[in-house]
Amino acid sequence: MIARVRAGEPEAYAELVRAHTAIALRAATALGAGADAEDVVQQAFVKAYCSLGRFREGAAFKPWLLSIVANETRNTVRTAARQRTLAGREAALVEAEPLIADSADPAVATLETERRAALLAAMEKLGEEHRLVVTYRYLLEMDESETAQALGWPRGTVKSRLNRALRKLGRLLPDFQPREGGDERE
């Protein structure tokens, strides 16, 4: 697909944008862009397009794009006049993706909403590196290799920081059990 874009086929990049917009919005939202998530993603796609010459042939596009989204989110949050609150992030996450099916049991739906709010509050207490690795691995459901590529870290660093982050979350939320997104031994 990248070869088609480099060859000047505009529809090829449009296909990449369509295929990755949802995950890019989830990433920007989860990383704190809040109401600016769409702007962050749009800017990230523009920067990605302009940087295609530096894209390594054979590399996965999604982790590369998400690292650009993370940088754009960081820049947006850093320059924002006001700090994003947990409530603002939660509202943005709810808008970005339906969390609970319409047919769900109201009691189960309430528990899931409370669980998510507790998790987000606990994640606010993590350092940035730990929050990033948990966000990529579990909230964005990326495997270790994709997480390592997106963050620009060695895979061993991803494993160790993820382990430390999950231990800290375990202390903050004794009942917390992450939902596995895949086999850790990939």
Side-chain angles (χ1 to χ4, degrees):
M1 183 79 65
I2 300 297
R4 288 175 44 208
V5 175
R6 286 178 175 162
E9 188 179 325
E11 183 55 33
Y13 197 67
E15 287 176 37
L16 280 174
V17 169
R18 281 191 296 273
H20 294 89
T21 295
I23 190 76
L25 281 170
R26 283 177 53 203
T29 301
L31 295 171
D36 296 325
E38 288 182 6
D39 292 337
V40 165
V41 169
Q42 183 177 14
Q43 187 63 29
F45 277 117
V46 169
K47 285 192 175 182
Y49 184 80
C50 293
S51 301
L52 278 177
R54 292 180 298 199
F55 180 74
R56 197 176 75 238
E57 195 65 41
F61 182 76
K62 181 171 81 170
W64 182 71
L65 173 67
L66 292 181
S67 68
I68 295 171
V69 170
N71 288 335
E72 283 302 306
T73 300
R74 205 172 298 120
N75 292 341
T76 297
V77 170
R78 191 179 301 137
T79 59
R82 55 181 163 54
Q83 292 292 325
R84 303 286 183 223
T85 63
L86 177 61
R89 284 188 186 184
E90 178 66 14
L93 279 172
V94 168
E95 290 172 10
E97 169 183 356
L99 301 174
I100 301 167
D102 291 336
S103 62
D105 178 345
V108 172
T110 299
L111 287 174
E112 186 63 28
T113 299
E114 289 174 2
R115 182 177 187 267
R116 180 175 281 281
L119 177 59
L120 288 172
M123 285 184 59
E124 287 292 320
K125 295 177 182 174
L126 297 177
E128 181 179 3
E129 291 176 339
H130 290 151
R131 191 170 42 251
L132 280 172
V133 74
V134 169
T135 297
Y136 277 80
R137 183 69 179 93
Y138 292 105
L139 298 181
L140 300 177
E141 300 172 355
M142 296 175 76
D143 63 31
E144 279 181 6
S145 296
E146 291 174 321
T147 301
Q149 184 180 349
L151 294 172
W153 299 345
R155 199 162 168 187
T157 302
V158 168
K159 284 184 174 194
S160 64
R161 288 185 182 158
L162 184 60
N163 184 287
R164 284 187 213 115
L166 292 177
R167 280 199 324 257
K168 184 164 186 178
L169 283 174
R171 288 189 300 273
L172 295 169
L173 300 166
D175 297 330
F176 174 73
Q177 291 296 319
R179 294 189 178 117
E180 288 299 321
D183 187 351
E184 292 292 326
R185 295 169 289 169
E186 298 167 16

